[in-house]
Each structure stands twice: as C-alpha cells, then as structure tokens.
Amino acid sequence: CASVEGSRKELHLTLAYSFPSTHFSTLEALASNVDPSAIASWEVRLYSRDTRIIGNEVHKVLYSHVPREPDELELLIGDFVYVSGESLATSADGWVEGTSWLTGCQGFLPTNYIERTAESDAWTLHRALPIIGGTTGIDGLETLSLPRRLPISLSLLNLLENSEGSRRSTEGLSETSSLEKFHSRQASLDQSQASNLSLKDLEALYSKIETKKRYKEPLFKFPIEGPRKLIVVRHGERVDFTFGDWIRFCFDDTGKYQQKDLNMPSTLPKRDGAPLSFYKDCPLTNVGLLQAQLLGEGMRAGKVVVHHVYCSPSLRCIQTCTNILKGIYLPYVKYHTFYFSEGLGLADSMPINIEPGLFEWLAWYHDSMPIWMTPSELKDTGFNINFYYEPLIRPDELKNSQESCEQFYARSAYVTQSLLSQTQKDGGTILLVGHASTVDTCCRQLIGGLPRSGHDMTSLLKKIPYCSFSYTVQDPKTGGWSLQEPPFPPVTHSANMRYDWKALTQT
C-alpha cells in the first residue's frame, strides 16, 4: 500500500506523447470528456522491447520452412524475424539473413516466406494486471458485473502461490481446495459409469463378438486402485513441417486435394474454410499416424492402461490421440479401420475430451488463432469425441497473443491440476495429448519445478521429437509427483530426404 500526497505528487494518464502541435486542441477536447470518477476497468501491461530490433525491420513468418542447409533458419508460423531493410532491398537471389524472435537463432531464409509487420508485434508482454475502480471506492466494486472467471493472467498465477510450485498433496486436491473453488468441473458422464473389465477380460470378450461389431459397454470400474499416473504426449509428424507449403501444390484451383507423396494423407477430413483452414491446423503425415500407433502399442506392451483422455483441439493432436488408443486397445477390438476411422470399437467407453487449454504457446500466433474443426465435423470424420465434456478453458478465451512464457506455464499447470482434481475420486491414469511444449509445461510445476524462460523452453523443444512423452507418477503416501522412467520405449526414426527419380537420368 502506498500513500500519495496530492500537493507533492500527481497520478495522471498520458493520452499521447510527442504529438504534433496541430493535434493539441483535438486531444484536449477528448481529455475534457473523460470522467475520472466513473466506474472503469483498465489493464496495466508491462512490455519489453528486444534490442535486436534496433537497425532492423520486423517481419512475421507466413509459411514454415524446414532448413535444407546448415546455414538456413528454421521458420515457424507465428514467429517473427529481424532482418535488415537494406539486405532485403539488395537481395539478388531472394534470400536474406535474419534472426528469429522466438529462438534467437540466425540464418538465411527465403524473402517470400515473410512479410513486414509493426515493430510492436514483437514486443514481449510480461504481466497484465486488471484495475477496476469506481466512485465509491471498494463499495463500488460490488456493483460491477464481474466475469465468471478471473483473467487468465492473474488466476493462473495463483498456482504459483506455494513455495513448492504447483506440487499438490492429496489434501490439496480435495473438494475444499482453492483450485476447485476457483474452477471446478464434473468428470465425463461416460467415464463415471463403468464396469470392471481388465485387458485380459476384453480379449476373451471380443473373441466372442463378430467382426466389425462395436463394443459399447464401459471398460472400467472406478475408483482405480494403485498410484495415479500422468502421461503427456506430443503429436506425431505433421504435414506442413515435413513438406513446407503443402497446400499450395496439393490443392487445385477448385479446392480438390491430391496426394503428392506417399507420406501425405490419402484423404483429408471435410471442414469449413478448407483448404485455408488447414494452414494453422494441419493433419499428420502417414508416418505420424504410424508413430502414434507404435507408441500406443508400446504402452500396451508396458501394461499401461489409460482411464482418462484429454487432447488439444488441433487436428494433429486428435489424430495422434486416436491412434495411440488404437495401439493400446486394437488387439482387443475386432473392428479395425485405419486413419480417419469410424471408431475404435470403444465408441462410448473411451471418448476423447477436447481441452483447448492444452493448446501450445499463444505467442506463436500473433496474427490469428487456428480455426479448429467443430465437434460435428470431427464426428463426421469418425473421431470418437466426448460431447458431454465441458472444457476448462473455452476456445474464445485463448485470445492473448501476447501471452508470456510464465503465463503459458501457469495455464498448462492450471489445466493439469484441474484435470487431476476432477478425476481424483476415480483414480487411474490420465493421458494428455498436446504439443512439444506441453510435454514439459503440464508436468513442470507438478513436480515442483519453476516455469522456464522463453529461451530455455524453446531450447528444450529441440530435444522433444514427435511422439515424445513425459511419465509422471504420484506417491500415494505423500501425494507428491515425480518424473519416472516410462515402462515403454520411445519412437525413433532417421530423416529421409525426398527422392527424385530424375537423379537416375544423370550421367
């Protein structure tokens, strides 16, 4: 609390700075119309400006670019690059040297993959604090219609209030915890009505069921005994990072898709806005689908049983989640289809809960957010989606393109802690399918670690390839969580350059 003596100090709001004198009368008229005693809602924001901007222009990345040479710079949609205006103007081959705002790496990049934007787009937001005031002081707040949820920038930071980070004991996740008071949801209706069936029971049961018949009985009887486990998985190989601007050469003028490589999907799901809606919400490659299914098979071999499933709304994550479940349960399900299947045979027993809060760092989406497929479009495609699930964070709440790295970690921790709280009575293993950053952000504070800086996080992402995962186990006695070696191996494969048959014609 600070006191300000009116005769010595003054608090003021600057409407403009260094403006032309010709604008003075207009600005003075605007200032005179401001009622300082009126109820108002303001937000104080703290930004920092990257010194690498000095002497350079700021350009946003339009298309992703996978480096082919060691001196090339990797481009990710949503990133910014600092380039010299003089170098752009004098470039003879369409390439220019630039610096990535996201990673700080330098390298050469194609000039037609970037577009100039405002310098302020590359500013970093560190903190946003709402300020609400009125004519009657504190009493004036009582007349305001506050939102149903605290602003993300503040409410998520509440998870950091304990000295041990976001580590929660069993008591801390009880019905009276501050987290549940802040935001509570009921668990899926489908998962709360379950019967007791082991994987061995499933195998015997499906041997009696005719081919292609779906099993609609629940799989498990809750509560599940034993320590709770959290598995967080990155999606599989994505089309755009593998083939670059694939949309431009895979769709004709009528919008018809054509597979140009055997690693590309043979078909694509129907959705509004296609093909442009695939730019920021691309599908997996066929290798990506295989990666996910191999991971699921590894989980099954490691005797991992998944009881709760939550997934980012990105198409690549939903495909990954679907194929992981297929790998876990396919030997016990005679109904077999591939890629965009009509179901896993687990239609009502193992649905995927779409949680937008698991989406990656919003700072990578300065210009606009992806347009995700609607639940009806996902259903028509054949994905097994739980329509009863109410997300912790709605898609329309993911609007803060200036989200700081700390806020991103706090959002991920909030989602993780909330899902653990919701499923505490049921117990069992939770599977979260998201992005490379999700593998760390959803368990970092759970095990007592502090949020990483943006530089440290992006450096870590280089060590998290497709279908990587974290395996976290709770100690039943202390309630603490710790990273442990998973009971299944990772998925590894070498890079495979694109083959050109014309090489055989060279002498």
Side-chain angles (χ1 to χ4, degrees):
C1 179
S3 60
V4 178
E5 296 181 16
S7 60
R8 297 185 180 181
K9 298 182 181 179
E10 181 173 78
L11 299 179
H12 66 276
L13 171 67
T14 301
L15 296 178
Y17 180 73
S18 296
F19 51 83
S21 58
T22 55
H23 295 168
F24 180 80
S25 58
T26 302
L27 292 172
E28 186 179 32
L30 289 173
S32 63
N33 292 329
V34 175
D35 181 7
S37 63
I39 295 177
S41 178
W42 300 86
E43 188 175 67
V44 176
R45 292 192 169 201
L46 176 63
Y47 290 91
S48 66
R49 175 176 177 268
D50 195 335
T51 56
R52 293 173 299 183
I53 297 178
I54 300 175
N56 291 317
E57 297 177 354
V58 178
H59 288 247
K60 65 180 180 180
V61 176
L62 299 177
Y63 312 106
S64 60
H65 171 67
V66 179
R68 305 295 182 185
E69 301 294 338
D71 61 348
E72 293 182 14
L73 179 66
E74 181 180 10
L75 299 180
L76 300 177
I77 296 177
D79 192 8
F80 295 93
V81 290
Y82 307 134
V83 297
S84 167
E86 182 180 355
S87 299
L88 278 171
T90 58
S91 176
D93 57 358
W95 288 75
V96 67
E97 187 174 13
T99 302
S100 168
W101 165 81
L102 183 63
T103 64
C105 297
Q106 291 181 320
F108 288 91
L109 56 108
T111 58
N112 59 338
Y113 276 44
I114 58 176
E115 180 181 77
R116 188 171 184 180
T117 187
E119 178 184 311
S120 57
D121 287 348
W123 291 354
T124 300
L125 176 64
H126 294 278
R127 186 65 58 87
L129 300 174
I131 299 177
I132 303 175
T135 58
T136 57
I138 298 300
D139 294 335
L141 297 178
E142 298 177 356
T143 64
L144 296 178
S145 177
L146 296 177
R148 69 176 182 87
R149 205 173 296 170
L150 293 175
I152 291 296
S153 56
L154 290 181
S155 60
L156 297 185
L157 293 178
N158 290 336
L159 295 176
L160 306 176
E161 61 187 0
N162 290 348
S163 59
E164 296 181 354
S166 291
R167 184 190 300 274
R168 303 290 183 181
S169 64
T170 305
E171 295 179 355
L173 290 174
S174 65
E175 294 181 357
T176 59
S177 68
S178 60
L179 181 63
E180 284 200 281
K181 289 181 179 179
F182 164 66
H183 193 64
S184 62
R185 302 288 189 193
Q186 293 185 352
S188 164
L189 297 180
D190 291 332
Q191 294 173 343
S192 63
Q193 301 170 353
S195 62
N196 186 14
L197 285 176
S198 65
L199 293 181
K200 184 177 181 180
D201 295 332
L202 283 174
E203 186 174 20
L205 178 62
Y206 274 105
S207 64
K208 302 178 182 179
I209 300 178
E210 60 190 47
T211 303
K212 292 189 177 182
K213 182 176 181 180
R214 301 187 186 186
Y215 178 66
K216 297 186 178 181
E217 295 299 323
L219 292 178
F220 312 107
K221 181 179 180 181
F222 297 109
I224 304 298
E225 297 182 357
R228 304 197 65 195
K229 304 178 184 67
L230 174 69
I231 304 174
V232 187
V233 180
R234 183 194 179 186
H235 59 75
E237 182 182 76
R238 49 192 291 179
V239 171
D240 55 354
F241 280 16
T242 304
F243 296 100
D245 190 11
W246 65 287
I247 293 179
R248 187 157 51 183
F249 66 91
C250 285
F251 287 86
D252 58 23
D253 295 337
T254 64
K256 183 178 179 180
Y257 171 76
Q258 181 179 0
Q259 183 186 37
K260 294 297 184 67
D261 190 279
L262 294 180
N263 194 24
M264 288 183 171
S266 57
T267 60
L268 292 175
K270 295 181 180 180
R271 62 189 300 181
D272 289 340
L276 296 180
S277 53
F278 284 109
Y279 263 114
K280 294 186 177 182
D281 189 32
C282 72
L284 294 181
T285 63
N286 287 336
V287 168
L289 293 168
L290 178 60
Q291 289 171 329
Q293 183 160 340
L294 287 174
L295 180 57
E297 292 174 359
M299 291 182 180
R300 171 171 49 84
K303 302 186 184 304
V304 172
V305 180
V306 172
H307 306 96
H308 315 278
V309 183
Y310 302 89
C311 183
S312 164
S314 296
L315 174 59
R316 57 189 180 274
C317 297
I318 298 174
Q319 288 181 286
T320 301
C321 189
T322 297
N323 274 35
I324 288 176
L325 294 177
K326 182 188 300 183
I328 295 176
Y329 294 108
L330 191 58
Y332 311 99
V333 181
K334 298 299 182 181
Y335 184 79
H336 179 89
T337 53
F338 200 54
Y339 301 141
F340 302 109
S341 64
E342 293 183 358
L344 295 175
L346 309 169
D348 297 325
S349 303
M350 189 56 65
I352 299 174
N353 300 303
I354 303 299
E355 176 50 62
L358 292 173
F359 188 60
E360 58 188 342
W361 193 11
L362 302 184
W364 292 331
Y365 296 85
H366 277 269
D367 49 351
S368 64
M369 289 288 291
I371 301 176
W372 295 305
M373 293 179 64
T374 65
S376 59
E377 289 174 338
L378 293 172
K379 179 181 178 182
D380 292 342
T381 301
F383 293 112
N384 182 20
I385 306 300
N386 179 15
F387 288 90
Y388 297 100
Y389 177 70
E390 185 178 0
L392 297 165
I393 298 178
R394 301 190 309 270
D396 59 359
E397 292 178 301
L398 297 175
K399 295 181 178 180
N400 183 15
S401 62
Q402 299 292 333
E403 182 181 50
S404 68
C405 190
E406 182 184 18
Q407 290 172 328
F408 174 42
Y409 269 89
R411 167 164 61 90
S412 302
Y414 160 65
V415 170
T416 303
Q417 293 284 9
S418 296
L419 296 180
L420 290 173
S421 177
Q422 289 181 5
T423 58
Q424 181 185 4
K425 293 181 179 179
D426 292 337
T429 299
I430 297 180
L431 172 65
L432 304 182
V433 179
H435 309 264
S437 53
T438 315
V439 175
D440 181 59
T441 59
C442 283
C443 66
R444 174 72 174 172
Q445 292 159 258
L446 183 67
I447 62 175
L450 296 176
R452 302 181 194 272
S453 65
H455 179 270
D456 291 342
M457 184 190 70
T458 52
S459 298
L460 176 65
L461 299 188
K462 300 176 182 178
K463 304 176 182 179
I464 304 179
Y466 295 121
C467 280
S468 296
F469 46 83
S470 58
Y471 185 77
T472 315
V473 181
Q474 185 181 34
D475 188 327
K477 296 181 179 179
T478 65
W481 292 79
S482 62
L483 281 172
Q484 296 188 11
E485 181 179 359
F488 47 90
V491 181
T492 307
H493 60 87
S494 63
N496 189 45
M497 67 179 183
R498 182 173 177 81
Y499 169 67
D500 185 357
W501 66 273
K502 294 181 182 179
L504 303 177
T505 64
Q506 298 177 0
T507 57

